[in-house]
Amino acid sequence: MDNRRRIALTGFMGVGKSSVARHLSSILRCDRLDLDAYIERNTGRTIANIINSDGEAAYRIIETENLVRALRETHARILSLGGGTWTIPGNRKLLAGDGVTTVWLESSFEHCWTNISKSRKERPLAKNKDGAHKLFDDRQSIYCLADWHFIIRPEFTSYEIAAQIAEQVFA
Ligand code: S3P
């Protein structure tokens, strides 16, 4: 694969997209962009505040605007998306249209939920376990549309996963 191409990590909340992206950018020595953090910088608001005050539909519009901006205005080669970014058809079109290679970090719901419960990040769309589990189940067939799948097991470190991605996707 042309190693100047961009790669976007997708997968459910708590799977570890941001940490894998951090290691991947250091292994490949390239810039990375975390879409949630980018949105927070550009809006001056937290994602939780946007979703809680304006609703998810309004948040999705802001998310797409920022995805467009990130693709146009930054050179980051590694993008870590929010857990819902890839589930929006227009966002999938944007990423495909830009030739971005997408990687699904796939794992069990329990693994994601353990991380969500331990994390200090507020996740308005995963307020309770049953609701989050349903969202997880509903999204599997969409995440599956990504170009690559990597199965994340709890015993793997984020570094090991990043190293696997670097080796296989950039072979
Ligand atoms: C969301 C995931 C979050 C964040 C927002 C919505 C989702 O990102 O974008 O709360 O719909 O799954 P993480 O996957 O980084 O937690």
Side-chain angles (χ1 to χ4, degrees), residues 11-14 17-18 36 47 51 56 59-60 63 81-84 121-125 135 139 143:
F12 200 67
M13 293 172 264
K17 298 179 291 292
S18 303
D36 285 358
I47 304 285
I51 298 178
E56 185 184 346
Y59 168 67
R60 294 299 172 202
E63 184 182 43
L81 304 177
K121 179 173 179 179
E122 190 188 344
R123 291 181 164 99
L125 301 183
L135 195 58
R139 287 179 172 176
Y143 288 140

Side-chain angles (χ1 to χ4, degrees), residues 81-148:
L81 304 177
T85 316
W86 176 252
T87 67
I88 307 298
N91 294 343
R92 296 202 294 277
K93 253 194 201 150
L94 279 168
L95 290 159
D98 241 59
V100 179
T101 299
T102 46
V103 172
W104 174 27
L105 303 184
E106 178 185 5
S107 94
S108 70
F109 173 72
E110 288 303 329
H111 175 60
C112 294
W113 184 253
T114 302
N115 291 337
I116 291 170
S117 315
K118 282 195 299 205
S119 157
R120 295 211 315 258
K121 179 173 179 179
E122 190 188 344
R123 291 181 164 99
L125 301 183
K127 282 198 169 122
N128 62 71
K129 190 172 180 183
D130 286 350
H133 202 161
K134 180 171 183 327
L135 195 58
F136 177 93
D137 289 344
D138 290 347
R139 287 179 172 176
Q140 294 307 290
S141 60
I142 309 176
Y143 288 140
C144 197
L145 302 171
D147 300 315
W148 290 79

Side-chain angles (χ1 to χ4, degrees), residues 33-79:
L33 182 142
D34 183 288
L35 188 61
D36 285 358
Y38 187 70
I39 294 170
E40 292 188 341
R41 273 201 306 280
N42 288 338
T43 59
R45 301 171 69 190
T46 64
I47 304 285
N49 173 272
I50 301 172
I51 298 178
N52 289 331
S53 314
D54 303 357
E56 185 184 346
Y59 168 67
R60 294 299 172 202
I61 294 170
I62 295 172
E63 184 182 43
T64 299
E65 285 166 359
N66 277 274
L67 178 62
V68 170
R69 192 169 159 189
L71 292 171
R72 289 209 185 124
E73 297 180 12
T74 79
H75 296 290
R77 275 184 47 215
I78 313 294
L79 308 175

